[in-house]
Structures are given as structure tokens and as C-alpha cells.
Amino acid sequence: MADNRRWWALVVIALAQLMVVLDMTIVNIALPSAQADLNMSDGNRQWVITAYTLAFGGLLLLGGRIADLAGRKTTFMIGLLGFAAASALGGAATGQGMLFGARALQGVFAALLAPAALSLLATTFTEPKERAKAFGVFGAIVGAGAAIGLLAGGLLTEYLDWRWCLYVNVPIALVAFAGAWAILAPGGRHPDAHLDVPGALLGSGGMLSLVYGFSEAASRGWDDGLVVTLLVAGVVLLAAFAVWQTRARVPLLPMSVVKDRQRVGAFLTVLFVTVGMFGVFLFLTYYLQGVLGWSPLKTGLAYLPMTAAMIVGSTQIAARLLSKVPPRTLIVPGLLVAAGGLAIIAQVGVEPAYVSHVLPGMLMLGLGMSTAMMTSISLATGSVAPRDSGAASATFNTAQQVGGSIGTALLNTIAASATATYLTAHAGPGVDRRLLQAEATVHGFNVATWWAFGALLLAALIAGVVVNAERAPTPQGAGERAPEPVDTLG
């Protein structure tokens, strides 16, 4: 019975994580409709995305420690209810300010939910083979969530209304809440622990400043005074946070979490993978809709093969081999395959190239990235003391979120610059301006995709050099015995 309950717990945890991950992209396709409905300016529309990523990325470390202090189940359930309420508020928005505020609240509760979900997974599945299977499913959810979000956004926007891209979270969250209430039991609470308030202020402030700075760079430019101030302030605050963590009585981020070589390798790998991936998803969406003229639904359907490849990579490759081979023999080849997919996508032109370039590139991207991501998740949360699993989970999620924010801002800026340079170089009398604009746009996308290709190669290099474990670690190796599965579940 306990075994069955563990797998039902995985369903609940994965459902909640899917909701958090897909919410990063589901709104993207609905954004044009929401902008027109609420009369947003082009300058303000970015806040529909930025308000969420700011709160989520900036508060993840604090959310991870709260999960350790208040109990993972309690934090998980509060996050679910709060996320549902914020989603309902956003769907009912009567103005842009109300929508921005609701998206920020979604980010706040996602910052509670995501670390609690990952730490619950890490402490529930401790037997190596079961752990590999569980992380395979979870890795597929993380990898495929963005693509599923694009598909769901296309369906809901085309056949219902953009507001349903937010309303859809309510039933998902409530189902997950009911499952958590019935299946998960209280556990993992450490009443003698202490919340590091100065660390929370410095860490959250630094992350908020960095994420805000990178988000603003996409529209303001890297040399803008506000952007430079925010980025410098973020670096200074995070440096102060690092110094404080070595002196705090009970640090927000225990140094043991970031001193472990395998976890550092996993964190850095995920950071650079998401730097490359988030921007590419955006470019592909604009290419299919803006250049090829596809509908939101057709664009969403175009991502289905990549979603299938992600599921295969996580559950049939990584999950089967994780307990048998060194992790870097999965991560490095996986990232090289994914980089090869980007190299194919980076050669598209203004003519339709879905079958010849986009489809094979997506398949390679999904297969390779999911294999690497699933293995990295296991590395990031394995062999960590149960009392610190929330902090380790939050650090992993932070690396993913910050990498995505940096990548979107950086690659957008690169694409815009390359597009402008192409237009200047090729403008002249007798040139078809519409065709030139399309060619310039695609050229910008291609240049930025080559930079994403470089980010994945860098991630592969880091994994190959830093990660040297013979096998993926498990919680028992932390020096503190992990709780028995029956203690984690009711």
C-alpha cells in the first residue's frame, strides 16, 4: 500500500509542478489578445510576463527555507491554494494593473510551491531504481511544461478566451490540493530551525534586482542607467548574501548545499541550459506565427513532437540508465544532441522549413535536453540532508528561473541588434521592404539561436569537467538518514 501511495504522491507533485512550469509560457500566446482587451501599451505588456518571473525568481530561496521550517506538505498546500486564487484574480482582471498584480501573486505562491514539490519528491523516493523512475517522470514534466503551455495557450485562446489561460489553473490546483490532503502526511518540519531574516532580505533582494534588470534590458538596452544600476545592485546584494551565509547561525542557504561538487555542476548546467532554451522557445513561436503566419493552435500543435521526445528522453533513457552509469555520460551527450538540434533550427529561412529544419531540430532538442535535465535534477537534490532539501530544491529552481530570465533578455537583445544591422546593410532602392523585414527578422532569430547553441555547449563543458560522480547520489548519502517513505505519506 505504501508503494502505491508513493506513486500517487508523484502524480500529485508532478501535477503541481506542471502547473507552475507551463504558466511560464501559457500566457505568451494569449498576450496579444489580453493586450487588446485591457488596452495595454506595447511598453507595459511585458509586465504580464515580468511580474511573474520577478516574484518567482526573487523569492525561491525564501520559499525553500519556509518549506523546511513550516513543513513541506503545509507549504505545498498553501502554495496550491494561493496559486489558484491568484489565477482566478488574473482571469477576472478588469484592467492591466489588476492583471499585473495577480501575476505577481502567482509568482509569490509558485516560489512556495516549487521548492516544496521538489523536496517532497526527493524525500519520498529514496530507493535508487524507484528514485530514477520518479525523477524521470518529474524531469519530463519540467522539460515538456513549456511546450505544453504553448499548446494549451493556443487551444484556450483560439477556442475560448485568453482569460482561460489563467482560469485553467484553478481546477488543476484544487485537484492537486485534494490529492495532497489525502495522500501526503505532515513531515519534514524542523521546529528548532530558524529563519535567516537578513539572508532572506539580501538573497531575495539580489535575485529580484537581477531578474528585474535582465527583464528591463530587453526593452531598454544594456547600457540604460536603470538596467546597469539594477544589475550592479543585484551582484552587490548577492555578494553580501554569500558573505552573510558563512556567518549566520542558521543560514538560509547552507554552504553544504553549494559546496558539493556534483550539485554545483548540476546548478551551473541547468543555468546555462535555460539561458539557451527559454529564448529559443520564444523565437520559434514568433517564427511560426509571425513569419509563417500560423494560428496559435497550429503553433501549439507544432510543439507536440518535441514534447513526446522529452518524455522519451526522461523516462526511457535517463530513468533507465541513471542508476547504472555516471551522470555526466548522460548529461554531456544529451546536451550535445540538443545543441545539434539548435544548429539545425538556426539555419531556417523565410520559406516554410518546419519539416526540413524545425521538426528534426525539435526532436533532437527534446530528446537531449530532457535526458540532461532529468539527470541534473537528481544530482541537485541527491545526498542532501533532509532538513536542507528545501534549500537545495529552491537553488535548483532559482538556477532554472534566473537562467530563463537572463536568456530571454540576452537573446532578445542579440536578435534585435542583428535584425537592425541586417536591415541597414540590405536596404536600398527597389528592395521589397516586406520581404526584407521578414529576412531580417529570421536572420536575428538565427544569430540568437547560435548564441543559444553556444550556451548549451558551455553547459556540456561544465558538466563534463565538474560532475565526476560514479553514480547519481541518493538522500541516504547525506550523512543524515532520510525519512522512511511511510513517514512522508499518510
Side-chain angles (χ1 to χ4, degrees):
M1 179 63 179
D3 288 343
N4 290 334
R5 292 176 74 86
R6 280 205 301 277
W7 292 109
W8 278 111
L10 174 61
V11 172
V12 172
I13 295 167
L15 184 64
Q17 183 68 14
L18 173 63
M19 181 181 68
V20 171
V21 173
L22 68 82
D23 212 70
M24 296 178 189
T25 56
I26 192 171
V27 177
N28 284 348
I29 289 182
L31 188 52
S33 299
Q35 180 182 0
D37 193 17
L38 299 180
N39 297 314
M40 295 181 219
S41 67
D42 289 344
N44 284 339
R45 66 184 178 188
Q46 64 156 327
W47 284 102
V48 176
I49 308 299
T50 305
Y52 181 80
T53 58
L54 268 176
F56 190 15
L59 299 174
L60 269 167
L61 282 176
L62 182 58
R65 182 51 77 194
I66 290 173
D68 289 334
L69 294 175
R72 298 175 193 112
K73 177 184 176 180
T74 300
T75 306
F76 183 75
M77 294 175 69
I78 290 173
L80 284 169
L81 287 181
F83 200 91
S87 298
L89 182 66
T94 56
Q96 58 182 6
M98 185 174 173
L99 179 58
F100 299 158
R103 291 286 287 164
L105 278 176
Q106 281 185 302
V108 170
F109 287 107
L112 289 177
L113 184 58
L118 193 50
S119 57
L120 279 169
L121 184 69
T123 55
T124 298
F125 294 91
T126 56
E127 194 276 323
K129 289 186 178 179
E130 284 192 349
R131 181 179 173 84
K133 291 179 182 178
F135 273 87
V137 173
F138 195 82
I141 293 295
V142 172
I148 294 172
L150 293 168
L151 173 60
L155 283 167
L156 293 170
T157 302
E158 192 154 326
Y159 290 109
L160 292 174
D161 184 79
W162 69 267
R163 296 177 184 275
W164 279 96
C165 290
L166 294 164
Y167 285 143
V168 71
N169 292 323
V170 177
I172 296 175
L174 293 179
V175 168
F177 180 87
W181 181 279
I183 297 171
L184 300 178
R189 183 176 181 179
H190 302 280
D192 58 335
H194 172 73
L195 182 61
D196 176 18
V197 176
L201 294 175
L202 289 171
S204 298
M207 292 306 308
L208 284 168
S209 186
L210 273 186
V211 175
Y212 186 18
F214 281 115
S215 297
E216 287 295 291
S219 57
R220 292 173 175 266
W222 294 100
D223 58 350
D224 179 79
L226 176 62
V227 172
V228 172
T229 300
L230 287 168
L231 295 180
V232 171
V235 171
V236 170
L237 287 171
L238 289 179
F241 169 78
V243 172
W244 173 254
Q245 294 305 283
T246 63
R247 301 177 180 179
R249 180 168 65 88
V250 182
L252 182 68
L253 177 60
M255 288 297 100
S256 60
V257 171
V258 291
K259 282 184 177 179
D260 181 88
R261 176 172 181 160
Q262 314 310 321
R263 278 195 293 275
V264 169
F267 295 151
L268 290 175
T269 297
V270 168
L271 176 70
F272 284 103
V273 167
T274 51
V275 162
M277 293 313 307
F278 271 60
V280 170
F281 280 135
L282 188 64
F283 297 149
L284 279 174
T285 300
Y286 274 106
Y287 171 76
L288 295 174
Q289 289 194 54
V291 177
L292 301 188
W294 288 15
S295 69
L297 176 59
K298 189 176 180 180
T299 300
L301 290 172
Y303 282 97
L304 281 181
M306 182 167 66
T307 303
M310 287 176 172
I311 294 173
V312 171
S314 290
T315 62
Q316 301 304 311
I317 298 177
R320 292 178 181 273
L321 297 177
L322 184 60
S323 61
K324 301 176 182 178
V325 301
R328 66 180 170 188
T329 63
L330 292 172
I331 297 176
V332 175
L335 292 179
L336 293 178
V337 169
L342 289 184
I344 295 174
I345 292 172
Q347 300 178 58
V348 299
V350 294
E351 298 297 325
Y354 180 78
V355 174
S356 61
H357 289 76
V358 177
L359 179 58
M362 279 184 169
L363 291 173
M364 293 175 66
L365 198 57
L367 195 66
M369 187 180 67
S370 60
T371 301
M373 286 291 286
M374 179 266 180
T375 308
S376 297
I377 292 172
S378 185
L379 278 178
T381 57
S383 73
V384 65
R387 66 176 179 273
D388 293 328
S389 64
S393 303
T395 307
F396 175 86
N397 278 288
T398 299
Q400 185 181 26
Q401 182 63 25
V402 172
S405 298
I406 293 172
T408 300
L410 176 63
L411 296 181
N412 272 341
T413 302
I414 290 171
S417 177
T419 297
T421 301
Y422 189 95
L423 284 171
T424 301
H426 293 82
V431 175
D432 185 333
R433 295 185 62 85
R434 178 177 294 182
L435 178 60
L436 177 60
Q437 182 63 53
E439 291 174 344
T441 300
V442 172
H443 172 73
F445 291 167
N446 289 344
V447 171
T449 302
W450 281 115
W451 279 84
F453 167 85
L456 262 62
L457 290 185
L458 181 57
L461 177 62
I462 291 171
V465 172
V466 179
V467 177
N468 63 356
E470 289 300 315
R471 295 291 184 273
T474 58
Q476 290 94 326
E480 176 178 336
R481 191 167 183 262
E484 295 294 333
V486 70
D487 294 332
T488 306
L489 306 170

